[in-house]
Structure formats: structure tokens, C-alpha cells
Amino acid sequence: MPATRVIRLRREAWGFAIGSLCFLVGAIPWYAEAVGVAVTDLTFFVGALFFTAAAFIQLALSGRHRPARGTARPDVFDWWAAVVQLVGTLFFNISTTDALLTAVDSTTRVNSGWRPDAAGSVCFLVASTLAVVATTERDRLWDPNARSWRCTWLNLLGSVFFGASAVGAYVLPSTADLVSLFWANLGTFLGAVCFLVAALLSRPAPPRRAAPSAQDAGFPDGSRRPA
């Protein structure tokens, strides 16, 4: 694999890992109680930015344009997964930005705070499903030797948890209460854990430097001793 691609894949993995870590921390109630609503929303805001940056890299690696006719099905599914994933991160950007602006405004700060985004969660679920299909067609459905197998299924599980958090965060019109604050937080936390582990597993090994030639080593005859 070319060194430049390895570097970009590592940047993508670290982007998703840092974004996941931010959402993981932000979903912990004790963290929110300790730092306040504004800092908690800032944590989600930063996490969403890392998600989007990583999603841009993912799409660039999959191809900036729609696959041409005749492209292998797994590659097509990978491309669409990257596109939908990017759209999902943009939804999270919008919701976290809105929550942050609300939190820093003293007139609206009371009872404010970011809640799991339904549109973004649906996009994550669709993207993860497409990625699983791509893995299934490229390799075997249950291939313990394939790193992508673990990553795609972990991402799908994480997306399910994010979906559960979005359901829990739905505001009931009759009472203005959440369906389940417990699942709004726990779903985000567990989903972020899955995304974090998947991102760390997806990191390719650092590109190896080429071994120095004999001339670079300073010995024209190729030996490791002075001539």
C-alpha cells in the first residue's frame, strides 16, 4: 500500500477516534455536572468536527466522484457509505453548533444541552449497513482474520446505539420531557465506545521507511565496516 494512502488512512482513523472520545466523554453525566452545559456542548461540537474531517478523508479515499458503471459492487457500497457518513456528520455539526450557541447565550442556557441528532443517527445507521454489505461481498461475512470485518460490525452496533439515543432524546409534545434521558446518554456513550474501538482497530501500520542503501550508509562496497 502506498505510504501516502497509509498516512491518510491513519488520519481518518484518528479523526474518528478523537471524535468518538469527545462524544463518549460528553455523554457521561458526571462530566456534564462538573464542567457545565457550555463546556459539555463544546465537547460534542469538537467531536463532530473531528467526525466530519475524518469523513471527508474517507470519501476522498473512496473516490470524490460517483463510481463509474461496471465498478465492483463492494467499491460502490463503500463509496455510498462514505457519502452518507459524511452527510450524517454534517447533521451532527448543525445540531452541536446550535446546542453550543444556545448554551453560551445566558437567556437560553437553562435546560439547554445537546441531544442526539435523529437525522445524523439515521445516516450513520445507513452508512454502517452499506459498509457491512461491502465487507460481506468483498470477503466473508464472518472472517475473524479480516480487520475490516470487526470494524464494520462495530460501527453498525455503534450506529444502533446512536439510534437508541436519538429515540431516547425525543421530546414528548405533551409533557416536554424526553422519552428516556437514561438511553439518550447511555446510547451515545455505548455508540461512541463502539466507534472508538473500530477506529483504533482500523489504523494501518505506519509506513515503513526504505532500508538505507550501501551508498547512503557510507560504505561504497556495501559492507558495514570501513573500507
Side-chain angles (χ1 to χ4, degrees):
M1 184 184 299
T4 54
R5 183 174 179 82
V6 172
I7 292 173
R8 296 175 76 182
L9 283 170
R10 287 181 65 83
R11 289 175 178 173
E12 174 194 335
W14 278 115
F16 281 124
I18 296 173
S20 300
L21 185 60
C22 288
F23 275 80
L24 186 158
V25 172
I28 300 175
W30 303 287
Y31 175 78
E33 293 174 1
V35 302
V37 175
V39 175
T40 302
D41 287 342
L42 177 61
T43 304
F44 286 124
F45 173 80
V46 172
L49 291 180
F50 275 100
F51 271 158
T52 301
F56 268 117
I57 298 175
Q58 180 184 13
L59 179 59
L61 289 170
S62 299
R64 295 182 182 275
H65 303 288
R66 183 175 179 178
R69 186 184 300 273
T71 302
R73 281 169 53 89
D75 293 333
V76 174
F77 283 122
D78 271 339
W79 186 85
W80 277 110
V83 170
V84 177
Q85 177 98 327
L86 177 59
V87 173
T89 65
L90 293 177
F91 277 122
F92 278 105
N93 286 147
I94 295 172
S95 62
T96 54
T97 300
D98 180 67
L100 180 59
L101 292 176
T102 300
V104 298
D105 186 347
S106 59
T107 62
T108 59
R109 187 176 300 165
V110 179
N111 294 327
S112 64
W114 181 79
R115 293 288 177 260
D117 182 84
S121 298
V122 169
C123 287
F124 273 34
L125 185 59
V126 172
S128 300
T129 302
L130 290 171
V132 166
V133 173
T135 303
T136 302
E137 295 206 1
R138 182 174 286 114
D139 302 303
R140 291 184 301 171
L141 181 60
W142 303 100
D143 186 358
N145 296 318
R147 178 181 294 176
S148 59
W149 169 83
R150 296 182 178 90
C151 297
T152 52
W153 281 98
L154 275 171
N155 281 327
L156 179 58
L157 180 60
S159 297
V160 171
F161 281 129
F162 259 42
S165 70
V167 173
Y170 178 75
V171 178
L172 297 171
S174 57
T175 61
D177 293 329
L178 302 184
V179 170
S180 174
L181 179 60
F182 174 80
W183 272 106
N185 290 327
L186 183 61
T188 302
F189 178 84
L190 293 177
V193 169
C194 292
F195 294 148
L196 175 60
V197 175
L200 294 177
L201 286 176
S202 69
R203 293 173 303 156
R208 296 181 178 178
R209 293 183 179 181
S213 64
Q215 184 175 0
D216 291 337
F219 307 124
D221 64 346
S223 67
R224 288 291 178 178
R225 54 176 175 71

